[in-house]
Amino acid sequence: MVMLLLACADKESAAPTPASPGVIDVRVEVPAAEEGYFDLVGPEYTIEPYTEVMYCSYITNTTGTDLIVPYVDGLQGEYGHHVVLLATDVEKPDGTTEDCSSATSMANLHAYVIADLELPAGAAVRIPGDVQFVMQSHYVNTTGTPILTRDVMRFTVVTESEVEQYAAPFAATSLGFELPPMETTDLSFDCEFPEDISMSLVGPHMHEWGTYFETLIGPTEDELETVLLVDPWRTEYRDDPPIQLFLENPKPVSAGSIVRTRCVWYNDTNEPITFPEEMCATFGYMVGTDQPMDCRIN
Amino acid sequence: MFIWLLWACGGVAKESVMDSGPALGSALFNFSVSNGVRQNSNLSDPLSGAVYGSLFHAEEVSATGPLDGAESAADVEVYGVDLTVDEVSVITWTSPAIPPRAYRFLGFFDVDGNGDTTRDPESGDPVTLPSVNEFTIVSDTEVAVTISFDLVYF
């Protein structure tokens, strides 16, 4: 194990000030530094009542070295939906925090590691030392009161010699859909794996208007095989998706293979729904590569 | 977010029913599988066999399964569950009398028939997800619950 301790975006987080009156404090307590862990502490961010927001915090990587990470614990307060570590093509000043709810704001951001998901024994993600961290937090404040948030990502870190194989996340996401009011919409889109890999995990992502989800993978369109089928889709899966694990027998996928994502929704409102209010994505982990795959279809 | 131990064997300690709290209640289970399980190509065997699992206090179940130290309120073993044709099982299971509160059921449908040797799911067995199968026991009431197996373990 290596000794990597605390890196803070918010230098005041070690001695937090009380939340203002009339604000619900859902900040995560900053854990004490521990050998074998690297803690990334997000900023304090207030979310207004009845508001859904994704905010992104740009945090300069001061470690100067690659992080070798077999597991990440994403710590969020109540009303948290997800926290994820992204990398950016366009660096911003350290400490920059901004709303990144829109599809366009995600254009330069790519996932490097997904919190709370297991990898096969001996596998780890490599996070390059020269990328700026972007910590993305998604909250849905369902209350009539502002909430004060602060998330923490706790990375388990190991040395290169402890790694048997590298892993990297993949995501196949549709951004350009629109769900007409009071109608069922059935959307399929394809992405390609650029290299030979094995899949250790496949997961779905939709929101509350989803009714059906399917991921198929195969070397050609005629050879697609269902690897994840969720029917019916339940509202609970928005936050706790049904993950298909292949930890003991990662599923081989050859370069050029297709991953087809199929989402079906019923929009029971009188307004059209678009990203990010609804989403359609397959995500997961690949082993045998340290290069993330991020396929977005507009 | 996210999972994902789909099933974890819980502790064996049972809910204490000796203290003088509110009147106890019970649950009547039957069982079903999602369409996603029924149509799943990874299903190893026909949808028939035993169900094994446990009830936990709902707040002691996270997205990854029971929290460390969580104790089962009751263990479930039901034989002869047949969903090859029926949408919902004819076979039922009635819980012992337990305190009124919210519970979650975690378990698996042992369609490959080796639950006597291992009480963990194997590849091809339908399993529950931690985020579903929550129900609330009410005093002096038998609460009907349809347990759903929503994913095929791999």
Side-chain angles (χ1 to χ4, degrees), chain A residues 236, chain B residues 13-17 19 22-29 54-62 70-76 93 95-106 129-139 141 143-147:
Chain A
E236 302 95 297
Chain B
K14 304 299 183 294
E15 189 80 55
S16 169
V17 295
D19 55 0
L24 306 179
S26 63
L28 175 68
F29 283 5
S54 296
L55 309 187
F56 293 92
H57 296 167
E59 72 275 13
E60 293 183 347
V61 177
S62 74
E71 295 181 345
S72 68
D75 291 336
V76 178
W93 176 84
S95 76
I98 51 180
R101 62 185 303 158
Y103 294 87
R104 279 190 192 171
F105 172 78
L106 297 176
L129 292 165
S131 58
V132 297
N133 297 316
E134 180 172 336
F135 58 95
T136 300
I137 292 292
V138 178
S139 294
T141 302
V143 178
V145 182
T146 298
I147 297 297

Side-chain angles (χ1 to χ4, degrees), chain A residues 14 18 25 27 86 90 103 121-122 162-163 195 222 254 275 290:
Chain A
D25 188 351
R27 289 174 295 181
L86 305 171
V90 181
E162 295 174 85
V163 178
E195 57 183 320
D222 295 334
S254 56
F275 181 96
D290 60 3

